[in-house]
Amino acid sequence: IPFWEAGTNEDFTGKPVFKDTPFNESMPEWTKAYKGTSAVLVDASEKLNEWTGGDKYKKGWIDKVQLKGLNLNNPAQIEYIFEGYFGGMAKTINQAAKTLAGGVESAIDGEKSDKLQWYSTPVLNRFVNDASDDRSSYSKVNQRYYQLYNLYDEVQKLIRGYANDAARGNLDYLEKLNELYQSKDYKKYLIFKSNKRAIDRIRDIEKRLPEESSEQRKKLQEETNKLKRQLLEMVDKLE
């Protein structure tokens, strides 16, 4: 049931609907949306939060309204429920809107927008999702790796935000920064950061390979998967 899944922050495959960590609990709801969430919904959520007394670090009153785990201003939850209850047509319309927004932004800026993603492109995303190749056996490892990547990204943003505000003399954020440094999430962040460079380097080499280098590409993918597994094992030892 989309309503229930959005409220428990777990879709039917077990993946989270939105970013949820102990350190972003007090952050505005629009900051918790994953990349690929409708930019229109994210922008609207940010504006509503500001109009109701919030800012980029603080929730307005609209962000504090919850109903059985659902936040009325969480763009990722709203999108998930919308697509879940109104089916394929709603999903296609939403993907088309994302693609259009990303295309317009890319045209204006002269470079590819982060909002323009293959998985937001109607029809194309089905072919990519349905395609089966050797990498499908890595799906579980990749799923956990990208969950850690989201955690790494979130902790990095919090460190910058807390440090900037602490430098301006806000002692509350200095205390939050110290709490973050003592947390398990920060230890995961350090492990991920120390291993990410090697994984990214292999992926960059793979991207530069010509299309016909399938055997070499396969070896690089196996090496990447091996490094990801080692990273996950190091993180699991923290639990």
Side-chain angles (χ1 to χ4, degrees):
I1 301 174
F3 189 91
W4 171 260
E5 290 166 354
T8 57
N9 194 27
E10 187 174 304
D11 71 8
F12 66 95
T13 67
K15 293 188 295 185
V17 175
F18 63 94
K19 290 183 274 188
D20 183 27
T21 74
F23 297 98
N24 74 350
E25 185 177 351
S26 61
M27 295 289 284
E29 294 301 307
W30 65 269
T31 66
K32 301 177 184 180
Y34 285 111
K35 185 180 291 185
T37 304
S38 168
V40 174
L41 291 176
V42 173
D43 290 345
S45 174
E46 182 178 4
K47 288 290 187 294
L48 281 172
N49 183 60
E50 290 178 2
W51 292 342
T52 56
D55 55 35
K56 63 181 180 179
Y57 296 120
K58 186 178 69 175
K59 293 182 179 221
W61 67 259
I62 189 70
D63 272 24
K64 299 175 183 177
V65 180
Q66 289 202 10
L67 176 65
K68 295 184 177 179
L70 288 173
N71 190 293
L72 300 184
N73 199 35
N74 184 304
Q77 288 182 312
I78 293 169
E79 180 180 74
Y80 188 81
I81 292 170
F82 174 73
E83 291 187 348
Y85 279 111
F86 293 98
M89 181 59 71
K91 192 166 187 176
T92 299
I93 292 171
N94 193 27
Q95 287 171 347
K98 291 178 188 177
T99 304
L100 179 60
V104 170
E105 188 170 304
S106 296
I108 293 172
D109 295 342
E111 59 183 22
K112 182 179 176 293
S113 167
D114 287 341
K115 296 171 186 173
L116 190 59
Q117 306 287 340
W118 63 260
Y119 47 75
S120 294
T121 307
V123 182
L124 176 61
N125 75 313
R126 296 182 186 177
F127 286 105
V128 177
N129 285 333
D130 291 343
S132 58
D133 57 24
D134 291 339
R135 286 172 291 183
S136 63
S137 61
Y138 305 153
S139 60
K140 285 292 183 184
V141 172
N142 280 332
Q143 181 179 327
R144 287 197 60 203
Y145 176 82
Y146 285 110
Q147 285 174 345
L148 276 172
Y149 186 95
N150 288 327
L151 175 66
Y152 161 83
D153 190 48
E154 186 67 31
V155 170
Q156 191 163 247
K157 287 177 183 175
L158 288 174
I159 290 172
R160 283 199 299 265
Y162 290 167
N164 286 338
D165 280 277
R168 297 188 189 103
N170 191 325
L171 297 182
D172 288 339
Y173 283 104
L174 180 60
E175 185 178 341
K176 286 184 177 184
L177 187 61
N178 287 330
E179 289 176 2
L180 180 60
Y181 285 151
Q182 302 300 318
S183 70
K184 189 180 292 185
D185 280 348
Y186 181 70
K187 293 176 183 176
K188 292 179 182 179
Y189 162 83
L190 291 177
I191 291 172
F192 189 92
K193 184 178 181 180
S194 64
N195 288 273
K196 179 178 178 292
R197 184 176 297 177
I199 293 171
D200 287 346
R201 191 179 299 122
I202 294 174
R203 290 181 63 190
D204 288 340
I205 294 171
E206 183 187 343
K207 287 177 183 177
R208 291 196 293 270
L209 287 176
E211 288 297 324
E212 59 271 17
S213 305
S214 57
E215 192 61 35
Q216 195 173 356
R217 189 183 303 277
K218 185 177 180 180
K219 288 180 180 178
L220 288 173
Q221 288 170 355
E222 288 173 351
E223 182 62 25
T224 300
N225 194 55
K226 179 183 175 183
L227 291 174
K228 287 180 179 179
R229 286 183 183 277
Q230 290 174 351
L231 186 160
L232 294 173
E233 287 172 4
M234 293 170 69
V235 169
D236 286 342
K237 290 178 181 178
L238 295 174
E239 302 297 340

